[in-house]
Amino acid sequence: MFGRVRAWSRRHTKLAGVLRVGPLTLLCALTVAPYASATPPGASVALHLAGYLGLAAALIVPLWWRDRPLTSFALVSLVSFGQWLAQVDLQPANIAVLVALWGVAYQCSFRWALAACLTAELGVFLALLNWELATFGMFFSGSIFVVTVWLTGLYANTRRRYLEGLEERAERAERERDQQARMAAAAERARIARELHDVVAHNVSVMVVQADGAGYALDSDLDQARLAVRNISRTGRAALAEMRRLVGVLRENEAASTDYTPQPGLGQLEELVSGSAVPASLRVGGAPAELPEGQQLTVYRIVQEALTNALKHGGPGVKAAVEIDYLGAELVVRVTDNGRGAAAQASPGGHGLIGMRERVGMYGGAVSAGPRQGGGFEVLARLPMAKAA
């Protein structure tokens, strides 16, 4: 409720000011006639009424300064103190002291609110000094009224600060959420970049080698040339399908019925090895177990990246061997070749080995890649066995 009132007062500052001063102004206007009729004998009614209206204006006008509550309260208090020095009786406009007190308690710190409350209590005490029949009970009643207004202002101040704190936390949470969304988007783009690297590098390498083979066999062995062309077509379609799936992740407002090609897994390893541009063999040891799709994709990408590296860096006549061993507690993936990959110059800006480490690390495994004794290159990955969902 307080939050809605505060928001409304911010949007309608002038109307809020009228509602702040209007009731007291109306009360003073309604008491003009009774006050004029109570003019002392021999005194001028017009002069008496002018003094009443002037004092009421001096007490009410400072209340319009909502943004300067201390100044408003100080002016109202000074006018009231001058009224007491002139021994002028209390008027309805003196309620402005309480209105200004509430404003200080609502907008200022506690020490200023306490000082304003003590000043208002002093005003009650001074006002009762001019009364011949003043009692302690009258002072206590007036004090209760002043303290009630003061506590109401303090409560409203606490409530306002609480709502401001909630708004600040909500804004901070929104900024953090946007930041996390941007970080997640950046991480997703990096993952997609590595996926595209694996897909494009391997499949394009295969297509280049098959195209070269088809060119050499075109005049001597038409059947071999046709087989190479079919392999190029099949590899290109597979690459396009995977690229559409990956790029589709970045698209927004896709239809819910969009169908993407399933991610490759262990079932496609044999096809990957047999269709590789590098002559390679596949051996599976141990009792095969069902693995989650994500872990199957990790194994597939490791083999794909290792074969691509062998093709790029192994040199002429390179051959590779892919070994998958189920050892109960872990799955071991080993890809070796007999090429000169250890001596080849590293390609700048590559994502392959980084992608391997991140994929394997996501499942708590480890991967190593480097030259092996006797020549050639070896990629070795160990992944803890995880149960399929």
Side-chain angles (χ1 to χ4, degrees):
M1 177 181 178
F2 282 100
R4 291 194 294 268
V5 171
R6 184 162 58 88
W8 180 87
S9 63
R10 286 180 177 177
R11 293 194 303 269
H12 308 86
T13 55
K14 295 183 178 180
L15 185 56
V18 171
L19 293 178
R20 174 187 172 89
V21 183
L24 182 57
T25 304
L26 180 61
L27 178 62
C28 293
L30 293 177
T31 56
V32 168
Y35 190 80
S37 63
T39 304
S44 172
V45 175
L47 185 61
H48 187 68
L49 188 59
Y52 172 79
L53 293 177
L55 180 60
L59 290 170
I60 294 176
V61 168
L63 298 180
W64 284 94
W65 301 339
R66 297 177 62 249
D67 297 333
R68 292 180 285 179
L70 288 176
T71 303
S72 176
F73 180 80
L75 290 176
V76 171
S77 299
L78 287 175
V79 172
S80 299
F81 184 67
Q83 176 186 357
W84 178 80
L85 290 177
Q87 295 185 351
V88 177
D89 294 336
L90 291 176
Q91 298 179 7
N94 288 114
I95 299 177
V97 176
L98 298 178
V99 178
L101 172 64
W102 189 91
V104 173
Y106 174 69
Q107 292 182 267
C108 301
S109 60
F110 178 77
R111 61 175 183 173
W112 288 113
L114 181 60
C117 181
L118 294 177
T119 303
E121 285 291 317
L122 178 62
V124 174
F125 176 76
L126 294 177
L128 291 177
L129 288 181
N130 291 339
W131 288 18
E132 297 180 356
L133 302 177
T135 62
F136 178 77
M138 297 172 63
F139 174 76
F140 182 76
S141 299
S143 299
I144 288 295
F145 194 64
V146 170
V147 171
T148 300
V149 174
W150 180 67
L151 290 176
T152 304
L154 287 181
Y155 173 76
N157 187 5
T158 303
R159 184 69 179 176
R160 175 178 62 85
R161 293 178 183 274
Y162 172 72
L163 292 176
E164 289 176 352
L166 289 181
E167 291 177 358
E168 183 180 357
R169 285 195 293 271
E171 293 176 358
R172 191 186 310 116
E174 186 175 358
R175 289 194 298 269
E176 292 177 354
R177 182 191 62 190
D178 294 340
Q179 185 178 6
Q180 291 176 356
R182 289 192 294 269
M183 292 172 61
E188 183 67 11
R189 293 189 187 99
R191 183 190 69 82
I192 291 173
R194 291 190 294 271
E195 292 275 353
L196 286 174
H197 169 270
D198 295 341
V199 171
V200 174
H202 178 76
N203 288 287
V204 172
S205 299
V206 172
M207 291 168 66
V208 168
V209 173
Q210 294 286 351
D212 291 341
Y216 286 122
L218 191 60
D219 296 329
S220 59
D221 192 345
L222 289 178
D223 293 335
Q224 188 65 29
R226 292 191 186 93
L227 178 61
V229 171
R230 283 197 295 269
N231 287 335
I232 292 173
S233 175
R234 178 177 55 82
T235 304
R237 288 193 179 92
L240 286 175
E242 288 203 54
M243 290 174 64
R244 287 194 191 99
R245 176 181 61 81
L246 294 173
V247 176
V249 177
L250 298 177
R251 293 176 181 167
E252 297 179 356
N253 301 325
E254 286 283 354
S257 60
T258 303
D259 184 23
Y260 297 112
T261 303
Q263 294 182 344
L266 296 179
Q268 287 74 39
L269 272 182
E270 185 174 356
E271 182 180 357
L272 172 67
V273 173
S274 62
S276 174
V278 176
S281 61
L282 174 64
R283 183 187 66 81
V284 179
E290 290 292 331
L291 296 177
E293 292 183 359
Q295 198 166 4
Q296 292 189 38
L297 176 62
T298 297
V299 175
Y300 184 92
R301 294 302 186 203
I302 290 173
V303 174
Q304 185 181 52
E305 178 62 27
L307 293 177
T308 302
N309 288 338
L311 177 63
K312 291 166 60 177
H313 307 299
V318 62
K319 295 182 179 180
V322 179
E323 301 176 6
I324 308 293
D325 292 315
Y326 295 88
L327 302 181
E330 65 178 3
L331 175 66
V332 177
V333 181
R334 178 183 287 103
V335 181
T336 58
D337 64 67
N338 60 353
R340 54 176 176 84
Q345 185 177 1
S347 300
H351 293 280
L353 295 178
I354 296 176
M356 284 189 204
R357 293 191 181 97
E358 291 188 358
R359 291 177 187 277
V360 174
M362 187 169 56
Y363 292 97
V367 63
S368 61
R372 61 186 187 127
Q373 294 181 354
F377 201 80
E378 178 185 67
V379 175
L380 178 63
R382 297 180 180 273
L383 293 90
M385 294 290 290
K387 295 181 179 179

